[in-house]
Amino acid sequence: QVRLLESGGGLVQAGGSLRLSCAGSGLTFSNYALGWFRQVSGKEREFVAAISQSGGRTGYADSVQGRFTISRDNAKNTMFLQMNGLTPEDTAVYYCAARASGLSIVLFTTTRDYAYWGQGTQVTVSA
């Protein structure tokens, strides 16, 4: 059974940083493309960042480009999202997602692309 577990969320002041982690079990991480999404209550879940199966390609939403960095450690079945320069607009529940991929450089950026989801971790940025 595939499971994804996010951690690292919390409360931070504007301008601060957080590092989210996503630990996977029940899957061989290196066979999966991964992504981060976020959701504010009452709004649709939105794409934040994606990383290809190999880790060789990354992609970001315009709103986080230059502030957030996605990375992965396949040996440890873990993905990360380093978030710098946080603003109150980054407040949301952050979810990690995974999908099997035989294409090592493809990025997936929509929710329907992903088969597996974590339970989410709350990030709150105070003004």
Side-chain angles (χ1 to χ4, degrees), residues 1-4 27 31-35 37 45 96-101 108 110-118:
Q1 183 178 1
V2 174
R3 290 185 177 177
L4 301 173
L27 75 169
N31 294 335
Y32 287 74
L34 305 171
F37 291 75
R45 193 167 297 187
C96 64
R99 65 160 285 159
S101 174
F108 300 93
T110 69
T111 56
R112 59 179 174 270
D113 288 327
Y114 290 90
Y116 303 104
W117 294 85

Side-chain angles (χ1 to χ4, degrees), residues 3 30-32 40 48 50 56-57 59 61 84 90 106-107 112 119:
R3 290 185 177 177
S30 58
N31 294 335
Y32 287 74
V40 175
V48 173
R57 284 189 67 199
N84 299 328
D90 296 314
V106 175
L107 297 178
R112 59 179 174 270
Q119 86 293 342

Side-chain angles (χ1 to χ4, degrees), residues 32-90:
Y32 287 74
L34 305 171
W36 286 99
F37 291 75
R38 66 187 182 186
Q39 189 170 22
V40 175
S41 180
K43 295 187 176 181
E44 291 188 355
R45 193 167 297 187
E46 67 173 8
F47 169 72
V48 173
I51 188 165
S52 62
Q53 176 189 350
S54 67
R57 284 189 67 199
T58 59
Y60 300 90
D62 289 344
S63 59
V64 307
Q65 179 76 47
R67 300 187 297 123
F68 290 11
T69 303
I70 188 172
S71 60
R72 63 190 295 165
D73 184 341
N74 286 342
K76 296 183 179 180
N77 268 22
T78 305
M79 173 176 63
F80 305 97
L81 185 68
Q82 178 66 44
M83 306 186 295
N84 299 328
L86 286 163
T87 74
E89 288 68 37
D90 296 314

